[in-house]
């Protein structure tokens, strides 16, 4: 009798006696209130895990070529810089530590090529940007046949660098080139051999570099100009601002991020130039146009010094990494200021 009474008094919701109430603390019967406290984290939902795996499968076709063709050779080249690797199937490769980098510190020819590379990169990038900015501002106006002018402006960009080099070699030809023929027709002299002269070779090559790379910069800046609201220009004009003031206060702030990005990329690309200068001058005359990439190419494939050439490549990668670091720090600080 006692056990039956105890069973009636203690229901299934409360083993210690007293039926659980609606609020979970006693009272009349009912379902306990749910707790809204976060529970322990469990495994991710099955659909989310499947989505993550599917995303990796979609990325792999683009990731594998990058790893195989870019990251792999880069790591191999860094390792090769610490060896005495040379051409020849019977030669054994030995680990020599930092000896190649020590030799580079005393290699005046390499540092001369490095100086020429900086002159080339800056000499191409700065005029290229200024001319491209002027052309982009012109193509952004409501001109007749603007579509044709835009199409013609990107023609040099569509041409391979080898074709551009061959074409400009014909332009600079000392006997039948169009440049010397024009000089003779105008009575300004007999012309000269532009690509073999010690004083004219580097400026002539820089001119070709400006012409070949200007369309890319023009397209990028033109895209930025077209995204600038016209209402801002109209409001500035109503306030009496002239063309220069509108450019300085409206146009330039709008395209400044694009201008900085494309200028940094152009500086890096120009510093790493190879094909265009190789076709035009092959580094001559007398090394006046021998860029660092050309110097490393000659050391590797003309003289067979693969380890030494790899050390040069590591130095160039380090310089480019420093330039990228300065650019990224500037972008981050600019974003914080805004």
């Amino acid at each position: 009798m006692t056990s039956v009474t105890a069973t009636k008094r203690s229901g299934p919701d409360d083993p210690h006696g007293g039926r659980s109430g609606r609020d979970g603390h006693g009272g009349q019967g009912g379902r306990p209130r749910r707790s809204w406290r976060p529970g322990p984290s469990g495994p991710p939902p099955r659909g989310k895990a499947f989505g993550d795996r599917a995303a990796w499968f979609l990325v792999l076709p683009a990731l594998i070529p990058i790893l195989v063709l870019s990251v792999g050779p880069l790591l191999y080249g860094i390792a090769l810089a610490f060896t005495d690797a040379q051409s020849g199937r019977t030669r054994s490769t030995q680990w020599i530590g930092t000896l190649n980098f020590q030799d580079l510190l005393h290699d005046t020819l390499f540092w001369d090529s490095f100086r020429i590379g900086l002159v080339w990169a800056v000499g191409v990038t700065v005029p290229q940007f200024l001319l491209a900015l002027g052309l982009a501002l012109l193509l952004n106006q409501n001109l007749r046949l603007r579509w044709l002018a835009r199409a013609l402006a990107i023609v040099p960009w569509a041409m391979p660098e080898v074709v551009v080099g061959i074409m400009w070699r014909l332009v600079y030809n000392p006997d039948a080139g169009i440049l010397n023929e024009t000089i003779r027709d105008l009575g300004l002299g007999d012309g000269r051999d532009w690509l073999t002269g010690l004083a004219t070779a580097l400026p002539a090559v820089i001119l070709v570099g400006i012409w070949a790379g200007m369309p890319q910069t023009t397209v990028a800046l033109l895209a930025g100009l077209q995204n600038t609201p016209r209402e801002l220009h109209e409001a500035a004009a109503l306030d009496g601002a002239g063309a220069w003031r509108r450019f300085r206060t409206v146009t330039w702030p709008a395209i400044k991020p694009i201008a900085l990005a494309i200028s940094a990329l152009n500086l890096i690309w120009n510093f790493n130039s190879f094909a265009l200068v190789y076709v035009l001058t092959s580094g001559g005359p007398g090394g006046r146009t021998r860029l660092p990439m050309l110097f490393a190419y000659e050391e590797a494939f003309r003289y067979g010094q693969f380890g030494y050439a790899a050390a040069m490549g590591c130095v160039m990668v380090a310089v480019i990494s420093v330039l990228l670091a300065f650019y990224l720090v500037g972008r981050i600080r600019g974003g914080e200021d805004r």
Side-chain angles (χ1 to χ4, degrees), residues 96-338:
I96 60 174
T98 60
L99 185 60
N100 286 327
F101 295 95
Q102 295 176 17
D103 293 340
L104 273 180
L105 292 176
H106 306 286
D107 192 342
T108 56
L109 292 177
F110 172 73
W111 293 113
D112 284 341
S113 71
F114 204 88
R115 177 185 57 81
I116 294 171
L118 291 177
V119 172
W120 153 267
V122 176
V124 172
T125 302
V126 175
Q128 189 180 88
F129 173 79
L130 296 177
L131 293 174
L133 179 60
L135 184 58
L137 291 172
L138 180 63
L139 295 178
N140 195 43
Q141 303 299 320
N142 292 322
L143 304 175
R144 295 183 61 184
L145 300 178
R146 183 175 58 177
W147 61 272
L148 180 60
R150 290 180 177 179
L152 294 175
I154 64 174
V155 167
W157 191 18
M159 300 173 63
E161 288 186 328
V162 175
V163 176
V164 172
I166 295 173
M167 183 185 70
W168 277 91
R169 281 182 65 91
L170 296 176
V171 172
Y172 285 135
N173 187 279
D175 299 323
I178 187 175
L179 180 58
N180 281 343
E181 288 292 335
T182 303
I183 292 175
R184 296 188 188 101
D185 293 341
L186 295 176
L188 300 177
D190 295 332
R192 58 195 310 170
D193 196 346
W194 300 94
L195 295 178
T196 59
L198 296 177
T200 59
L202 185 58
V205 173
I206 288 176
L207 178 63
V208 180
I210 294 171
W211 182 86
M214 192 171 66
Q216 179 183 4
T217 308
T218 302
V219 171
L221 294 176
L222 183 58
L225 291 173
Q226 291 180 338
N227 289 329
T228 305
R230 292 188 175 274
E231 293 79 6
L232 298 178
H233 291 278
E234 295 173 357
L238 291 176
D239 291 339
W244 169 247
R245 186 177 178 184
R246 291 199 304 270
F247 173 80
R248 184 169 53 86
T249 58
V250 178
T251 304
W252 177 248
I255 66 172
K256 183 178 179 181
I258 298 176
L260 293 178
I262 195 65
S263 298
L265 292 176
N266 284 338
L267 186 65
I268 294 171
W269 288 333
N270 292 326
F271 186 77
N272 286 330
S273 293
F274 174 80
L276 184 62
V277 181
Y278 182 79
V279 173
L280 286 170
T281 62
S282 297
R288 295 300 177 93
T289 60
R290 185 187 290 127
L291 305 182
M293 194 64 68
L294 283 171
F295 193 86
Y297 171 81
E298 291 179 352
E299 287 293 324
F301 298 104
R302 179 176 294 181
Y303 305 113
Q305 301 294 329
F306 294 132
Y308 194 57
M312 295 180 186
C314 290
V315 173
M316 287 185 282
V317 169
V319 171
I320 293 172
S321 300
V322 171
L323 293 177
L324 279 176
F326 278 113
Y327 167 70
L328 292 176
V329 168
R331 290 300 303 271
I332 293 173
R333 289 181 177 177
E336 292 177 352
D337 293 339
R338 289 193 296 271

